[in-house]
Amino acid sequence: MVLLCAAAIIALVYRYDLYDREPWFPIFLALSCGYIMMHVAGLTEEFLINGLQIRRDQPLTKAMLVAVVEDSGKLLLVFALASLLARHFNDPLDGLVYGTLIGLGAAMNESMNYLRFLPLDSHTLGGEVIRLFAHAMMGGILGFGVGLEARPWRKPGPPSFIVIPALLIIFGIHVAWDWIAYQPAQAEELRWVTMVLMTAMMAIWGTMVFVGMKRSKRIFHRYALRNLSNIGPVG
């Protein structure tokens, strides 16, 4: 069921990538990189938590460490794929698309690890679906600024200034989410906070999709006109 939900998220992302859809190999590569990154991030977090002697009664410190490792890993992967897949990274939506896929791959790794220790019931499934959407949207928001200035007629240039505020926003949301999750006993009154955080991420991600699609439509329309003008009259 988790894999089916992940496939549904991939289909959702692919649906919004209207003007220059990515081939399946870059999609698979982004998912795989996110999956591997989360495995490395988990080992790194365990090493740092033990090395820094972070205790169970320090949930905020642990949440901040986890957010730094995982969010920086997602963002660096978007930059790496923008360079590696420069031929495909040519659309203002590409940063969001690749970031979302990287985040989804990371969530799948985390889900597979957690499912080994959790009861296989509807409550667990609901929690894992939320995990998939949360990590996917975090990755998409982080990557949005990397691709916003991408154009089909040039190699990826410098990222948009949006990268920094997006990183700060996601870092804050991630820290708050994990701080609640790491509480010794989750207080009932804190559950509404996670709903607010998820709603905020959905609103930000959806807004970025809208902005990216509008910009892509305008850019690819201009690109098509440029190519037609280069061809010149026929006959």
Side-chain angles (χ1 to χ4, degrees):
M1 288 299 294
V2 168
L3 292 176
L4 285 175
C5 290
I9 295 174
I10 295 171
L12 177 66
V13 173
Y14 201 69
R15 175 182 178 273
Y16 285 120
D17 192 19
L18 294 176
Y19 301 102
D20 187 39
R21 286 183 166 165
E22 307 307 307
W24 282 105
F25 174 71
I27 291 174
F28 177 77
L29 182 63
L31 286 168
S32 301
C33 287
Y35 192 95
I36 295 169
M37 183 278 296
M38 185 58 87
H39 178 72
V40 175
L43 296 176
T44 303
E45 290 161 10
E46 184 178 358
F47 174 79
L48 292 175
I49 289 170
N50 293 332
L52 297 173
Q53 298 181 347
I54 298 175
R55 304 186 304 274
R56 288 182 176 271
D57 60 350
Q58 296 177 297
L60 181 59
T61 303
K62 183 179 178 181
M64 292 178 68
L65 184 148
V66 168
V68 166
V69 172
E70 295 181 5
D71 295 340
S72 60
K74 291 171 188 169
L75 184 57
L76 288 173
L77 270 181
V78 178
F79 277 111
L81 290 182
S83 177
L84 181 65
L85 303 172
R87 184 166 65 91
H88 299 294
F89 207 92
N90 58 0
D91 183 340
L93 265 178
D94 282 349
L96 184 139
V97 168
Y98 283 106
T100 301
L101 294 171
I102 288 167
L104 179 60
M108 290 170 65
N109 178 278
E110 196 171 71
S111 285
M112 294 305 169
N113 286 329
Y114 275 97
L115 285 172
R116 292 184 298 169
F117 308 105
L118 296 173
L120 300 181
D121 54 25
S122 58
H123 179 75
T124 298
L125 176 62
E128 295 312 306
V129 171
I130 291 174
R131 186 192 310 280
L132 293 177
F133 273 98
H135 274 292
M137 286 189 292
M138 285 181 186
I141 294 169
L142 286 168
F144 179 68
V146 180
L148 191 60
E149 301 301 326
R151 300 292 184 272
W153 56 79
R154 70 176 188 223
K155 293 181 179 180
S160 166
F161 73 94
I162 294 175
V163 168
I164 294 177
L167 178 60
L168 294 176
I169 290 169
I170 290 303
F171 178 75
I173 290 175
H174 201 161
V175 169
W177 193 294
D178 283 354
W179 176 75
I180 294 171
Y182 294 150
Q183 295 298 314
Q186 276 194 334
E188 192 71 24
E189 59 270 16
L190 291 177
R191 289 189 177 182
W192 68 271
V193 178
T194 58
M195 295 176 61
V196 171
L197 295 175
M198 178 62 81
T199 303
M201 282 196 294
M202 290 174 64
I204 295 169
W205 191 87
T207 301
M208 288 179 169
V209 169
F210 176 78
V211 171
M213 288 178 66
K214 295 283 285 186
R215 182 167 292 199
S216 293
K217 181 179 180 180
R218 185 171 64 251
I219 287 171
F220 278 93
H221 177 69
R222 190 191 315 161
Y223 183 56
L225 291 177
R226 175 183 294 189
N227 287 340
L228 286 175
S229 65
N230 290 335
I231 293 173
V234 178

